[in-house]
Amino acid sequence: MLIKTRRRWEIRESEATPEAVFTDRRRFIAALGIGSGLIGAGLWPAREAAAQTRDPTADLYPAKRNETYKLDRDVTAEKFSGDYNNYYEFSTSKTVTPASDALKTRPWTVKIGGLVEKPMEIGIDDLIRRMPLEERLYRLRCVEAWSMAVPWTGFPLRALVDLAKPTSAAKYIVMQTFQDKATAPGQRQFWYPWPYTEGLTLEEARNDLALMVTGVYGKPLPNQFGAPLRLAVPWKYGFKSVKAINAISFTAERPKTFWEGLQASEYGFWANVNPAVPHPRWSQADERILGSNDRRPTLLFNGYAEEVAPLYKDLQKERLYA
Ligand SMILES: Nc1nc2c(c(=O)[nH]1)N[C@H]1C(S)=C(S)[C@@H](COP(=O)(O)O)O[C@H]1N2
Ligand SMILES: [Mo]
């Protein structure tokens, strides 16, 4: 066998090689059909092995990359992006594993309701198989002034909106995270407005950039990234990109979001990235690149102005950037 001796203390190739090489190697392993053999032999870290064997859609990864979406920087290594997460259901520190591994992501049902032609409940595997999966390289800018760049796999949110068929009265899409105090200790902290709730206008949801994410680094999403379904809206601060979604509804009213509920003066509904508009307590002018001490200037709409600025031309009276 090719990858036979791998000692526990040796670093994984995914950490040492560029992402593209990593993806190719995975494709190669999948082609040989030896993935499960490797897992069985204990050559993969246990946690990853569990995720790989459990996921009934694993055969869909890696998905073909959509080359439209380019980065202006290197992809962040998974050892950094997968080890520095915001996931308040599990911890308010950046170390959410292994706590987040307690979440069972199968079976998983997504409820779609509100102002739609026909409300439905759909199993996650059914949903994923009905949607056009692709890989996109996206930046993510957290409101805390750090950023990363990752290869998400997912499908355009627009495809889900089309499936749901909102009525003409619908103006917003609202997405919520699961609620389960037994597995998510953070949800026992009653002063947070659980469940984590986020929303977009329907026009934003239909923008090409809005992506529903089911995987990353060429494989199904590890739990700390928000498995089995999370949002990626890269022109907005990271807190808009809600994780572990199990309810989606269409409304006429703008939803009250989780962070708005906690501190409306600091975290609003729009939350578009803008280096010229400081957070009340810190500058947003630049950002720390995850996994390094390098800082880079933050860009308007996180570098996606060309794609999304037109969405806001008639909304200048709104508090668009916080
Ligand atoms: N359900 C839920 N979704 C969430 C959060 C959270 O605490 N709970 N944190 C948000 C924040 S602040 C950020 S920056 C991103 C972080 O995503 P990552 O951990 O994949 O980098 O997830 C967002 N989605
Ligand atoms: Mo964030």
Side-chain angles (χ1 to χ4, degrees), residues 28-244:
F28 177 66
I29 291 170
L32 288 179
I34 56 173
S36 54
L38 281 175
I39 291 161
L43 298 169
W44 289 72
R47 201 195 308 143
E48 179 159 348
Q52 297 284 313
T53 47
R54 222 193 299 127
D55 195 299
T57 59
D59 60 296
L60 301 174
Y61 301 86
K64 191 173 185 315
R65 182 174 293 175
N66 181 340
E67 300 288 352
T68 310
Y69 304 95
K70 306 245 187 271
L71 292 177
D72 59 352
R73 61 197 71 183
D74 293 338
V75 166
T76 305
E78 188 181 0
K79 70 171 171 181
F80 299 121
S81 60
D83 198 35
Y84 189 90
N85 302 91
N86 275 327
Y87 205 165
Y88 274 37
E89 284 81 352
F90 294 100
S91 176
T92 51
S93 83
K94 299 295 187 241
T95 306
V96 307
T97 60
S100 58
D101 291 330
L103 181 65
K104 275 187 61 190
T105 58
R106 294 295 188 288
W108 189 275
T109 309
V110 182
K111 228 186 225 180
I112 303 178
L115 302 171
V116 293
E117 278 179 23
K118 214 165 75 192
M120 64 171 120
E121 286 192 19
I122 184 166
I124 188 70
D125 298 314
D126 194 12
L127 176 67
I128 292 173
R129 288 192 186 277
R130 284 167 75 163
M131 294 286 128
L133 286 200
E134 60 183 56
E135 183 176 78
R136 296 185 186 184
L137 302 176
Y138 271 8
R139 300 181 288 276
L140 180 146
R141 170 62 158 78
C142 176
V143 74
E144 298 161 341
W146 55 265
S147 71
M148 63 179 189
V150 295
W152 296 126
T153 303
F155 55 88
L157 176 54
R158 191 196 305 109
L160 190 145
V161 173
D162 291 346
L163 175 75
K165 297 194 178 65
T167 67
S168 58
K171 296 277 179 295
Y172 298 90
I173 181 171
V174 186
M175 304 184 205
Q176 289 185 317
T177 300
F178 76 91
Q179 233 182 332
D180 178 10
K181 278 185 206 165
T183 46
Q187 293 182 338
R188 293 174 217 154
Q189 300 182 305
F190 59 84
W191 55 92
Y192 288 106
W194 308 113
Y196 199 101
T197 301
E198 263 305 338
L200 301 169
T201 65
L202 270 192
E203 210 194 346
E204 290 177 320
R206 289 189 170 115
N207 186 273
D208 283 339
L209 272 181
L211 189 71
M212 290 302 268
V213 170
T214 61
V216 71
Y217 297 101
K219 64 187 177 188
L221 215 52
N223 274 10
Q224 70 268 31
F225 286 100
L229 186 68
R230 65 93 60 83
L231 179 66
V233 279
W235 71 98
K236 293 176 177 285
Y237 289 116
F239 66 83
K240 296 292 293 184
S241 291
V242 46
K243 297 179 170 180

